[in-house]
Structures are given as structure tokens and as C-alpha cells.
Amino acid sequence: MQTKIFEIIEIDDRSTDKLKEAATILRNGGLVAFPTETVYGLGADAMNAEAVERIYLAKGRPSDNPIIIHIAGADMLSILTSSESEDMHVLAERFWPGPLTLVLPKRPQVPDVTTGGLSTVAVRMPDNPVALELIRKSGCPVAAPSANISGRPSPTKGEHVIVDLSGRVDAIILSGDCSVGIESTVLDLTGNLPVVLRPGIITPEQLTDVLRKKVVVDPGVLAQSQYDGTAYDEPPRAPGMKYTHYAPKAEMIILNGERHDVIIGMNKMRSEAEAEGKKVGIILFEESEPEKAAHGFFARLRELDEEGADIILAAALNSRDSVGLAVMNRMLKAAGYKMINV
Ligand code: TXA
Ligand code: MG
């Protein structure tokens, strides 16, 4: 398949024709990768089951994994859900456009393939002018998982999308780097209490503040993010373990402990590995700046792959709440939960 590449840095007169063409591809059942503020997405018309099926094929994604639907306005929200939940309105008002996905009861006309057969639908309005204009021009809600081959690190730069999806999708819109760098916070609003299913840059604390009620973090996320490495030789049997996530090609090990001890441990492990002729990659983000870690993490994994690292040693962030929770969630998955205490 010939993939069209559109470069759109900002919305201006020169970008109008490109956006129209990309929107027409979407409306006709094609696949278009586009930038969002979190990571690049691979979009299709969410209401067209055949188009959405092509996403699963292009990514090599298990078809029971539901896809987030991207909207550009309130009119599109009402196509997807009949919910009038007060929490939904409050959160949409405060955080949209932005990196928050809301899980809501779905309308019957949303195809099962889009929601992985669930009776709920995950919706967000991305905070990126190119994405919003593309969705508006296409006139349809746009189903879009991250624009990577399934299991690979999420794409935060246009070049990542080209590497993974060239020849597999109809078009790619290139538009610089994603500002957030990790995927949106996913919040389930269908139960008695709001539950964070996937942590992101919008934190449980912020959601609690705005809703003025308790927001629960899914126990699975917490257990995984606190994972203390004692079972390094025998990984945990969490259901998610059967899938590889965000996996770099290299073996990745997280070192957990006080920063000073972690650096000593890293140097020792690095020397030992290098003595065996292995190439070692290091991931070391400032603990006081978890947003920077979120921004750079996936890109760093891809960079180390490109450099041909055999082993990646990553320093854990010691804060496991707020944005630290979101970063550690990605780091542990990327390492296949291999973490040692130093
Ligand atoms: O930031 C993002 O959310 C990016 C950009 C492209 O918007 N998209 C993204 O999509 O990360 P994806 O498909 O890689 O992740 C979707 C997540 C998965 O963990 C999926 O299980 C969950 O959202 N999800 C989708 N629909 C759901 C639903 N109805 N109920 C519960 N979880 C759902
Ligand atoms: Mg993904």
C-alpha cells in the first residue's frame, strides 16, 4: 500500500487542502495516522466497522482490545453515548480538549468492533489543533489507538509512525513531537465511583479535586506500579502479563531504590554487562520532574533500540502517585515487570 505523507505544522491556508484530503480518506473508510498531544493515533471512522477492523490488522492488535474514540465537539459525544452524567459534564468542561478519556455507556449504533464487544465506549477530545480540524472536516467520530505496531513503544514523533506504519496505512500526518508523551488518563464513569483504568498526566488527585468525590485507582494499576521486584525470578501473574507492552528490543531492567544507590548499582551492572561484550543503554530521568520523564520515555526506548542496546537499565521514579504513577506504569510494562531493589 502506498502511504500518503502530509506534513502539517500549523493550521493555515496551506494546510487546508491536505486536511481535506486526509478527512476524505477517513470518511471513505481509510486509515489516517495523526498527531495528538499525548501520542500519535491511528484513526478510522469509529462508526464504520470495516474501517475499524483495518486498524486491528494494520497494528497487529488483539481484536478484544477496545479503541478510544476521538471527538471534536459535544455533538459528536451525543452520537456515541446518551449519558447525561453530571461527572461527565464537569470533567469535559474542565479537561477537554485534553488528555482525559471517559468510559461511558455506549449507544447501540457504535459498532462492537470499535468497543471490543463492550457495552461501554471510551471517548476523548484531543488537545491538538491538527487533530481537531481533521476530525471536524471528516465529520465522523474517529477511533484511534496509538499509531504503533502492537507491543512497540507508543509513537511520540512523526518519524516513529513512519517507521512502524509506512505501507500499512493510507496516510500519515506529520506534525512535530507530542507534548505530553504518554497516553491519556482513562477514567471509567460507569460504576458507583469513578475509577482510573489507566494513569496519565491528569492525575487521580486532580480528578478528585474537580469532582469533589473519591476517585479510585484500579487496584491492578496500583499493584503493578508498586511492584517491588521481590519476584524478579518469578514474574507476577497479572492478566496483562500475557501481552507485551511498549517493549523495546533490548532486555530492560528497572533499578529501584534511593537515587544514589541506584546509580552505584547501575554502574556495577553496566561494567559487568560490558565485560561480556554487551551494549548497555541507560534511562535516568530526574525524579523531581515526572512530566519530563513522561515526555521523553517512549522516545528514549526507541532511541536505545536504534543504537542497538542489548540491555537497558532504567532508574525507577520513587514517587508512585500523581504523574509518577503513570510513568512507572509504562516503565514496568516496558520492562516486563523486571525490577530489582538496590
Ligand atoms: O492518549 C491516548 O489515549 C492515545 C491517543 C491516540 O489518543 N490513544 C491510546 O489508545 O492510547 P490505545 O488504544 O493505545 O489505548 C486505549 C486504552 C486501552 O487500555 C483500552 O483497553 C482502553 O483504553 N479502553 C478503550 N475502550 C475502553 C472501554 N470501553 N472500557 C475500558 N477501557 C477501554
Ligand atoms: Mg497503545
Side-chain angles (χ1 to χ4, degrees):
M1 180 190 290
Q2 179 82 10
T3 301
K4 285 208 157 175
I5 308 287
F6 299 109
E7 200 162 354
I8 304 179
I9 298 306
E10 55 187 329
I11 304 285
D12 55 18
D13 288 348
R14 284 176 306 157
S15 64
T16 306
D17 287 346
K18 298 178 193 169
L19 276 168
K20 268 193 197 150
E21 195 176 337
T24 305
I25 294 173
L26 278 180
R27 216 173 24 246
N28 292 337
L31 300 186
V32 179
F34 62 94
T36 84
E37 80 281 32
T38 56
V39 301
Y40 274 78
L42 175 58
D45 176 357
M47 308 305 277
N48 177 339
E50 273 172 37
V52 174
E53 247 152 46
R54 297 183 58 217
I55 294 182
Y56 289 102
L57 283 177
K59 278 185 58 107
R61 177 180 172 110
S63 60
D64 59 351
N65 198 354
I67 299 179
I68 293 172
I69 304 183
H70 298 66
I71 59 170
D75 48 334
M76 283 191 183
L77 182 59
S78 58
I79 300 174
L80 304 172
T81 185
S82 56
S83 173
E84 281 299 336
S85 136
E86 173 73 16
D87 289 350
M88 172 186 84
H89 286 301
V90 170
L91 292 170
E93 175 70 24
R94 169 66 183 78
F95 292 110
W96 283 356
L100 177 65
T101 294
L102 300 178
V103 175
L104 302 159
K106 89 171 182 82
R107 282 199 194 268
Q109 56 265 41
V110 182
D112 278 343
V113 53
T114 308
T115 62
L118 297 175
S119 59
T120 54
V121 66
V123 190
R124 84 177 191 99
M125 190 186 296
D127 187 13
N128 178 296
V130 174
L132 288 172
E133 198 51 33
L134 174 72
I135 300 166
R136 248 179 241 128
K137 280 197 163 41
S138 76
C140 48
V142 174
S146 47
N148 52 288
I149 295 286
S150 200
R152 299 266 302 133
S154 295
T156 59
K157 295 171 184 280
E159 68 215 49
H160 300 158
V161 185
I162 293 200
V163 167
D164 277 21
L165 296 181
S166 267
R168 306 174 74 97
V169 302
D170 299 290
I172 297 173
I173 301 180
L174 298 179
S175 186
D177 297 356
C178 302
S179 57
V180 174
I182 56 170
E183 308 86 342
S184 60
T185 305
V186 177
L187 185 71
D188 186 352
L189 289 181
T190 61
N192 289 333
L193 285 175
V195 183
V196 173
L197 301 180
R198 178 175 72 184
I201 204 107
I202 294 179
T203 64
E205 295 83 352
Q206 276 177 290
L207 296 167
T208 301
D209 271 1
V210 170
L211 290 176
R212 296 168 193 271
K213 67 163 83 162
K214 194 171 162 50
V215 171
V216 184
V217 178
D218 182 74
V221 170
L222 275 181
Q224 288 163 10
S225 298
Q226 304 295 338
Y227 182 58
D228 68 1
T230 46
Y232 176 37
D233 294 328
E234 190 192 334
R237 285 187 198 87
M241 283 297 292
K242 64 176 190 266
Y243 303 112
T244 54
H245 286 276
Y246 316 132
K249 291 175 194 134
E251 178 185 13
M252 178 168 161
I253 302 170
I254 302 171
L255 284 82
N256 183 44
E258 290 301 323
R259 219 10 111 78
H260 174 75
D261 301 327
V262 164
I263 288 172
I264 293 173
M266 260 184 180
N267 285 334
K268 186 164 170 284
M269 286 174 77
R270 188 216 290 248
S271 310
E272 285 166 5
E274 283 175 350
E276 291 172 21
K278 291 184 174 151
K279 188 160 181 175
V280 180
I282 299 287
I283 296 184
L284 192 62
F285 289 108
E286 282 292 336
E287 292 210 81
S288 56
E289 295 174 320
E291 287 84 3
K292 271 201 184 158
H295 177 73
F297 179 64
F298 286 133
R300 181 78 181 129
L301 288 183
R302 284 180 180 258
E303 192 178 83
L304 291 172
D305 268 351
E306 249 168 52
E307 288 169 12
D310 301 301
I311 297 187
I312 296 174
L313 302 175
L317 301 186
N318 279 313
S319 92
R320 303 290 160 81
D321 54 9
S322 298
V323 180
L325 176 72
V327 174
M328 285 310 294
N329 171 265
R330 292 354 182 247
M331 209 185 262
L332 278 153
K333 284 185 173 176
Y337 298 92
K338 276 181 249 140
M339 179 155 89
I340 53 175
N341 294 314
V342 294

Short mmCIF file of all heavy atoms in Angstrom, two decimals, residues 34 36-42 59 61 65-68 70 99 101 103-104 114-115 118 120-122 124 126 144-148 154 182-186 188 197-198, ligand 1:
data_model
loop_
_atom_site.label_atom_id
_atom_site.label_comp_id
_atom_site.label_asym_id
_atom_site.label_seq_id
_atom_site.Cartn_x
_atom_site.Cartn_y
_atom_site.Cartn_z
N PHE A 34 -2.44 10.42 12.83
CA PHE A 34 -2.44 11.87 13.08
C PHE A 34 -1.87 12.17 14.47
O PHE A 34 -1.86 11.31 15.35
CB PHE A 34 -3.87 12.43 12.94
CG PHE A 34 -4.86 11.86 13.92
CD1 PHE A 34 -5.13 12.51 15.13
CD2 PHE A 34 -5.52 10.67 13.67
CE1 PHE A 34 -6.04 11.98 16.05
CE2 PHE A 34 -6.43 10.13 14.58
CZ PHE A 34 -6.70 10.79 15.76
N THR A 36 -1.61 13.76 18.24
CA THR A 36 -2.42 14.32 19.34
C THR A 36 -1.41 14.85 20.36
O THR A 36 -0.20 14.69 20.18
CB THR A 36 -3.35 13.29 20.02
OG1 THR A 36 -2.62 12.56 21.00
CG2 THR A 36 -4.00 12.34 19.03
N GLU A 37 -1.90 15.46 21.44
CA GLU A 37 -0.97 15.98 22.45
C GLU A 37 -0.32 14.86 23.25
O GLU A 37 0.73 15.06 23.85
CB GLU A 37 -1.69 16.97 23.37
CG GLU A 37 -2.54 16.36 24.48
CD GLU A 37 -3.90 15.85 23.99
OE1 GLU A 37 -4.02 15.41 22.84
OE2 GLU A 37 -4.85 15.89 24.81
N THR A 38 -0.93 13.66 23.26
CA THR A 38 -0.37 12.56 24.07
C THR A 38 0.63 11.76 23.24
O THR A 38 1.83 11.80 23.49
CB THR A 38 -1.49 11.64 24.58
OG1 THR A 38 -2.24 11.15 23.47
CG2 THR A 38 -2.38 12.37 25.56
N VAL A 39 0.11 11.00 22.28
CA VAL A 39 0.94 10.22 21.35
C VAL A 39 0.24 10.27 19.99
O VAL A 39 -0.92 10.70 19.92
CB VAL A 39 1.07 8.73 21.82
CG1 VAL A 39 1.69 8.65 23.21
CG2 VAL A 39 -0.27 7.99 21.80
N TYR A 40 0.91 9.88 18.93
CA TYR A 40 0.23 9.82 17.63
C TYR A 40 -0.83 8.72 17.66
O TYR A 40 -0.65 7.68 18.30
CB TYR A 40 1.24 9.52 16.51
CG TYR A 40 1.93 10.75 15.95
CD1 TYR A 40 2.97 11.36 16.63
CD2 TYR A 40 1.52 11.31 14.73
CE1 TYR A 40 3.60 12.50 16.12
CE2 TYR A 40 2.16 12.44 14.21
CZ TYR A 40 3.18 13.03 14.91
OH TYR A 40 3.80 14.15 14.40
N GLY A 41 -1.95 8.97 16.95
CA GLY A 41 -3.02 7.99 16.89
C GLY A 41 -3.19 7.47 15.47
O GLY A 41 -2.82 8.13 14.50
N LEU A 42 -3.77 6.25 15.35
CA LEU A 42 -4.08 5.70 14.03
C LEU A 42 -5.59 5.68 13.88
O LEU A 42 -6.27 4.86 14.50
CB LEU A 42 -3.51 4.28 13.88
CG LEU A 42 -3.89 3.58 12.57
CD1 LEU A 42 -3.45 4.38 11.36
CD2 LEU A 42 -3.32 2.17 12.52
N LYS A 59 -2.14 -2.71 12.85
CA LYS A 59 -1.34 -2.68 14.08
C LYS A 59 -0.92 -4.06 14.55
O LYS A 59 -0.05 -4.20 15.41
CB LYS A 59 -2.14 -2.04 15.23
CG LYS A 59 -2.16 -0.53 15.24
CD LYS A 59 -2.88 -0.04 16.50
CE LYS A 59 -2.29 -0.50 17.80
NZ LYS A 59 -1.58 0.52 18.56
N ARG A 61 -3.10 -5.83 16.29
CA ARG A 61 -3.61 -5.68 17.66
C ARG A 61 -4.67 -6.74 17.94
O ARG A 61 -5.52 -7.01 17.10
CB ARG A 61 -4.24 -4.29 17.77
CG ARG A 61 -4.89 -3.94 19.09
CD ARG A 61 -5.44 -2.52 18.95
NE ARG A 61 -6.27 -2.08 20.06
CZ ARG A 61 -5.90 -1.15 20.94
NH1 ARG A 61 -4.71 -0.61 20.87
NH2 ARG A 61 -6.73 -0.75 21.89
N ASN A 65 -9.31 -5.79 22.30
CA ASN A 65 -8.83 -4.59 22.98
C ASN A 65 -9.56 -3.37 22.42
O ASN A 65 -9.31 -2.98 21.28
CB ASN A 65 -7.31 -4.48 22.78
CG ASN A 65 -6.66 -3.55 23.79
OD1 ASN A 65 -7.37 -2.89 24.57
ND2 ASN A 65 -5.36 -3.48 23.77
N PRO A 66 -10.46 -2.75 23.21
CA PRO A 66 -11.29 -1.67 22.67
C PRO A 66 -10.50 -0.41 22.35
O PRO A 66 -9.43 -0.19 22.90
CB PRO A 66 -12.29 -1.41 23.79
CG PRO A 66 -11.60 -1.86 25.03
CD PRO A 66 -10.71 -3.00 24.62
N ILE A 67 -11.05 0.42 21.47
CA ILE A 67 -10.33 1.59 20.95
C ILE A 67 -10.98 2.88 21.43
O ILE A 67 -12.20 2.98 21.52
CB ILE A 67 -10.33 1.54 19.40
CG1 ILE A 67 -9.61 0.27 18.93
CG2 ILE A 67 -9.67 2.77 18.82
CD1 ILE A 67 -9.56 0.11 17.43
N ILE A 68 -10.16 3.88 21.73
CA ILE A 68 -10.67 5.19 22.17
C ILE A 68 -11.21 5.96 20.95
O ILE A 68 -10.59 5.97 19.89
CB ILE A 68 -9.54 6.00 22.85
CG1 ILE A 68 -9.14 5.30 24.16
CG2 ILE A 68 -9.97 7.44 23.10
CD1 ILE A 68 -7.91 5.89 24.83
N HIS A 70 -12.19 9.56 19.27
CA HIS A 70 -11.81 10.97 19.37
C HIS A 70 -12.89 11.84 18.75
O HIS A 70 -13.34 11.57 17.64
CB HIS A 70 -10.46 11.19 18.68
CG HIS A 70 -9.35 10.41 19.32
ND1 HIS A 70 -9.30 9.04 19.29
CD2 HIS A 70 -8.27 10.80 20.03
CE1 HIS A 70 -8.23 8.62 19.96
NE2 HIS A 70 -7.57 9.68 20.42
N PRO A 99 -5.90 15.45 27.71
CA PRO A 99 -5.53 14.02 27.79
C PRO A 99 -6.33 13.22 28.81
O PRO A 99 -5.76 12.54 29.65
CB PRO A 99 -4.04 14.08 28.15
CG PRO A 99 -3.88 15.35 28.89
CD PRO A 99 -4.88 16.32 28.34
N THR A 101 -9.60 10.47 28.94
CA THR A 101 -10.57 9.63 28.23
C THR A 101 -11.63 9.18 29.22
O THR A 101 -11.31 8.73 30.32
CB THR A 101 -9.85 8.40 27.63
OG1 THR A 101 -8.94 8.85 26.63
CG2 THR A 101 -10.83 7.42 27.01
N VAL A 103 -14.87 6.70 30.04
CA VAL A 103 -15.59 5.48 29.65
C VAL A 103 -17.05 5.66 30.07
O VAL A 103 -17.36 5.93 31.23
CB VAL A 103 -14.97 4.23 30.31
CG1 VAL A 103 -15.80 2.98 30.01
CG2 VAL A 103 -13.53 4.04 29.82
N LEU A 104 -17.94 5.54 29.07
CA LEU A 104 -19.37 5.84 29.24
C LEU A 104 -20.21 4.73 28.62
O LEU A 104 -19.70 3.99 27.77
CB LEU A 104 -19.68 7.17 28.52
CG LEU A 104 -18.85 8.38 29.00
CD1 LEU A 104 -18.83 9.47 27.93
CD2 LEU A 104 -19.42 8.90 30.32
N THR A 114 -15.50 -1.61 17.44
CA THR A 114 -14.83 -0.41 17.98
C THR A 114 -14.62 -0.53 19.48
O THR A 114 -13.61 -0.08 20.03
CB THR A 114 -15.66 0.86 17.66
OG1 THR A 114 -15.94 0.89 16.26
CG2 THR A 114 -14.92 2.12 18.05
N THR A 115 -15.59 -1.14 20.17
CA THR A 115 -15.53 -1.20 21.64
C THR A 115 -15.12 -2.58 22.13
O THR A 115 -15.30 -2.90 23.32
CB THR A 115 -16.91 -0.83 22.24
OG1 THR A 115 -17.87 -1.80 21.79
CG2 THR A 115 -17.34 0.55 21.83
N LEU A 118 -17.66 -4.49 24.15
CA LEU A 118 -18.14 -3.98 25.44
C LEU A 118 -19.41 -3.13 25.25
O LEU A 118 -19.69 -2.65 24.16
CB LEU A 118 -17.06 -3.11 26.11
CG LEU A 118 -15.75 -3.81 26.48
CD1 LEU A 118 -14.74 -2.79 27.01
CD2 LEU A 118 -16.02 -4.89 27.53
N THR A 120 -19.70 -0.39 26.75
CA THR A 120 -19.26 0.97 27.05
C THR A 120 -18.39 1.50 25.91
O THR A 120 -17.91 0.73 25.08
CB THR A 120 -18.41 0.99 28.33
OG1 THR A 120 -17.35 0.04 28.18
CG2 THR A 120 -19.24 0.64 29.55
N VAL A 121 -18.20 2.82 25.91
CA VAL A 121 -17.39 3.45 24.88
C VAL A 121 -16.41 4.41 25.57
O VAL A 121 -16.76 5.06 26.55
CB VAL A 121 -18.31 4.16 23.87
CG1 VAL A 121 -19.05 5.33 24.49
CG2 VAL A 121 -17.56 4.61 22.64
N ALA A 122 -15.17 4.44 25.07
CA ALA A 122 -14.15 5.35 25.64
C ALA A 122 -14.00 6.54 24.70
O ALA A 122 -13.77 6.36 23.51
CB ALA A 122 -12.82 4.61 25.79
N ARG A 124 -12.54 10.73 23.99
CA ARG A 124 -11.81 11.92 24.41
C ARG A 124 -11.75 12.95 23.29
O ARG A 124 -11.91 12.61 22.11
CB ARG A 124 -10.41 11.59 24.94
CG ARG A 124 -9.32 11.44 23.90
CD ARG A 124 -7.99 11.17 24.64
NE ARG A 124 -6.83 11.27 23.76
CZ ARG A 124 -6.05 12.34 23.68
NH1 ARG A 124 -6.28 13.42 24.39
NH2 ARG A 124 -5.00 12.35 22.86
N PRO A 126 -9.07 15.40 21.77
CA PRO A 126 -7.63 15.66 21.87
C PRO A 126 -7.31 17.16 21.81
O PRO A 126 -8.00 17.92 21.14
CB PRO A 126 -7.07 14.95 20.64
CG PRO A 126 -8.19 14.87 19.67
CD PRO A 126 -9.46 14.80 20.48
N ALA A 144 -9.19 5.78 17.40
CA ALA A 144 -7.74 5.82 17.20
C ALA A 144 -6.97 5.27 18.39
O ALA A 144 -6.91 5.92 19.43
CB ALA A 144 -7.28 7.24 16.89
N PRO A 145 -6.38 4.09 18.23
CA PRO A 145 -5.39 3.66 19.21
C PRO A 145 -4.06 4.34 18.89
O PRO A 145 -3.96 5.07 17.90
CB PRO A 145 -5.28 2.15 18.96
CG PRO A 145 -5.60 1.99 17.51
CD PRO A 145 -6.55 3.12 17.13
N SER A 146 -3.06 4.12 19.72
CA SER A 146 -1.74 4.68 19.43
C SER A 146 -1.23 4.12 18.09
O SER A 146 -1.51 2.97 17.75
CB SER A 146 -0.77 4.36 20.56
OG SER A 146 -0.87 3.00 20.92
N ALA A 147 -0.50 4.96 17.34
CA ALA A 147 -0.12 4.62 15.97
C ALA A 147 1.19 3.85 15.89
O ALA A 147 2.11 4.22 15.17
CB ALA A 147 -0.04 5.90 15.13
N ASN A 148 1.28 2.78 16.68
CA ASN A 148 2.47 1.93 16.66
C ASN A 148 2.05 0.51 16.31
O ASN A 148 0.88 0.16 16.45
CB ASN A 148 3.14 1.92 18.05
CG ASN A 148 2.15 1.58 19.15
OD1 ASN A 148 1.29 2.41 19.49
ND2 ASN A 148 2.23 0.38 19.69
N SER A 154 4.87 3.44 22.25
CA SER A 154 3.94 4.37 21.61
C SER A 154 4.73 5.47 20.89
O SER A 154 5.79 5.89 21.34
CB SER A 154 3.01 5.00 22.65
OG SER A 154 2.20 4.00 23.21
N ILE A 182 2.94 10.49 27.00
CA ILE A 182 2.30 9.21 27.36
C ILE A 182 0.80 9.33 27.09
O ILE A 182 0.27 10.44 26.99
CB ILE A 182 2.55 8.78 28.83
CG1 ILE A 182 2.08 9.87 29.79
CG2 ILE A 182 4.01 8.43 29.06
CD1 ILE A 182 2.07 9.42 31.24
N GLU A 183 0.13 8.18 26.99
CA GLU A 183 -1.27 8.18 26.61
C GLU A 183 -2.17 8.77 27.69
O GLU A 183 -1.79 8.85 28.86
CB GLU A 183 -1.74 6.75 26.29
CG GLU A 183 -0.88 5.99 25.31
CD GLU A 183 0.27 5.28 25.97
OE1 GLU A 183 0.64 5.62 27.11
OE2 GLU A 183 0.81 4.35 25.33
N SER A 184 -3.38 9.11 27.27
CA SER A 184 -4.35 9.78 28.16
C SER A 184 -4.70 8.94 29.39
O SER A 184 -4.61 7.71 29.38
CB SER A 184 -5.63 10.06 27.37
OG SER A 184 -6.19 8.83 26.90
N THR A 185 -5.10 9.65 30.43
CA THR A 185 -5.71 9.01 31.61
C THR A 185 -7.06 8.43 31.18
O THR A 185 -7.84 9.12 30.53
CB THR A 185 -5.96 10.08 32.69
OG1 THR A 185 -4.74 10.76 32.97
CG2 THR A 185 -6.54 9.45 33.96
N VAL A 186 -7.31 7.15 31.49
CA VAL A 186 -8.62 6.56 31.18
C VAL A 186 -9.42 6.45 32.47
O VAL A 186 -8.98 5.79 33.42
CB VAL A 186 -8.47 5.17 30.51
CG1 VAL A 186 -9.85 4.54 30.27
CG2 VAL A 186 -7.71 5.27 29.19
N ASP A 188 -13.15 5.47 34.14
CA ASP A 188 -14.42 4.78 33.94
C ASP A 188 -15.50 5.46 34.78
O ASP A 188 -15.40 5.51 36.01
CB ASP A 188 -14.25 3.31 34.37
CG ASP A 188 -15.49 2.48 34.08
OD1 ASP A 188 -16.54 3.05 33.69
OD2 ASP A 188 -15.42 1.24 34.24
N LEU A 197 -8.61 3.65 35.06
CA LEU A 197 -8.21 2.35 34.50
C LEU A 197 -6.78 2.40 33.95
O LEU A 197 -6.10 1.40 33.89
CB LEU A 197 -9.15 1.94 33.36
CG LEU A 197 -10.63 1.80 33.71
CD1 LEU A 197 -11.42 1.39 32.47
CD2 LEU A 197 -10.82 0.77 34.81
N ARG A 198 -6.38 3.60 33.51
CA ARG A 198 -5.00 3.78 33.03
C ARG A 198 -4.54 5.15 33.52
O ARG A 198 -5.17 6.16 33.23
CB ARG A 198 -4.96 3.72 31.51
CG ARG A 198 -3.54 3.95 30.94
CD ARG A 198 -3.47 3.77 29.45
NE ARG A 198 -4.12 4.85 28.73
CZ ARG A 198 -4.26 4.91 27.41
NH1 ARG A 198 -3.81 3.92 26.65
NH2 ARG A 198 -4.86 5.94 26.83
O1 TXA B 1 -3.74 9.23 24.54
C1 TXA B 1 -4.39 8.30 24.09
O2 TXA B 1 -5.35 7.80 24.71
C2 TXA B 1 -3.98 7.74 22.72
C3 TXA B 1 -4.21 8.84 21.68
C4 TXA B 1 -4.02 8.34 20.27
O3 TXA B 1 -5.46 9.41 21.87
N1 TXA B 1 -4.72 6.55 22.40
C5 TXA B 1 -4.47 5.37 23.01
O4 TXA B 1 -5.24 4.31 22.56
O5 TXA B 1 -3.64 5.20 23.87
P1 TXA B 1 -4.91 2.79 22.87
O6 TXA B 1 -5.84 2.04 22.00
O7 TXA B 1 -3.47 2.51 22.66
O8 TXA B 1 -5.37 2.59 24.34
C6 TXA B 1 -6.73 2.55 24.67
C7 TXA B 1 -6.89 2.15 26.11
C8 TXA B 1 -6.66 0.67 26.29
O9 TXA B 1 -6.03 0.46 27.53
C9 TXA B 1 -8.08 0.13 26.27
O10 TXA B 1 -8.17 -1.10 26.91
C10 TXA B 1 -8.84 1.25 26.99
O11 TXA B 1 -8.23 2.42 26.52
N2 TXA B 1 -10.26 1.28 26.59
C11 TXA B 1 -10.80 1.61 25.40
N3 TXA B 1 -12.13 1.48 25.41
C12 TXA B 1 -12.48 1.07 26.63
C13 TXA B 1 -13.71 0.76 27.28
N4 TXA B 1 -14.87 0.84 26.64
N5 TXA B 1 -13.66 0.36 28.56
C14 TXA B 1 -12.48 0.28 29.21
N6 TXA B 1 -11.28 0.56 28.66
C15 TXA B 1 -11.28 0.95 27.40
#
